[in-house]
Amino acid sequence: TARAIVQDGYKLIAIDSNYEGREDEQWLFELESDPDETEDLTGTRPEVAARLGRILDERFDAYRELALDEPEIVLDQLDAQRLEALGYGGNDE
């Protein structure tokens, strides 16, 4: 998964893992001076990267808490009749 946050003129991109095999990578860009996001500042501004990384983690943790559980599948009588007419469910004769 890849996540990003834009705050205080910076953009932090964090990759946990992706299809290219990248894992646990971060890039930090200063958007005003580098709008094309070409110069990674993670090494020169580690405190900014760490602060934005904490905020990003806190927000995702909060969103996970709000996530819904697996939906319960409830068939009403009409749905059950339609499925039975198609040969699914119903009586086991």
Side-chain angles (χ1 to χ4, degrees):
T1 57
R3 306 173 291 155
I5 184 171
V6 175
Q7 191 172 62
D8 300 329
Y10 291 96
K11 179 178 186 178
L12 178 75
I13 300 171
I15 293 181
D16 299 325
S17 64
N18 75 359
Y19 66 93
E20 294 176 330
R22 293 179 182 266
E23 292 188 9
D24 299 321
E25 293 187 31
Q26 287 188 344
W27 298 280
L28 178 70
F29 303 102
E30 188 171 16
L31 297 176
E32 187 174 322
S33 63
D34 183 18
D36 294 330
E37 301 174 8
T38 59
E39 184 181 353
D40 178 16
L41 302 175
T42 305
T44 58
R45 302 225 174 102
E47 71 287 348
V48 175
R51 179 176 58 83
L52 292 179
R54 283 191 302 275
I55 294 169
L56 190 59
D57 288 342
E58 289 168 3
R59 288 185 182 172
F60 263 77
D61 289 344
Y63 291 138
R64 281 190 199 107
E65 289 178 18
L66 295 174
L68 300 176
D69 293 331
E70 289 293 318
E72 181 180 337
I73 298 174
V74 178
L75 296 178
D76 63 21
Q77 187 176 6
L78 185 57
D79 287 336
Q81 288 171 352
R82 287 178 179 157
L83 287 173
E84 191 172 336
L86 292 171
Y88 298 100
N91 42 18
D92 297 325
E93 295 178 5

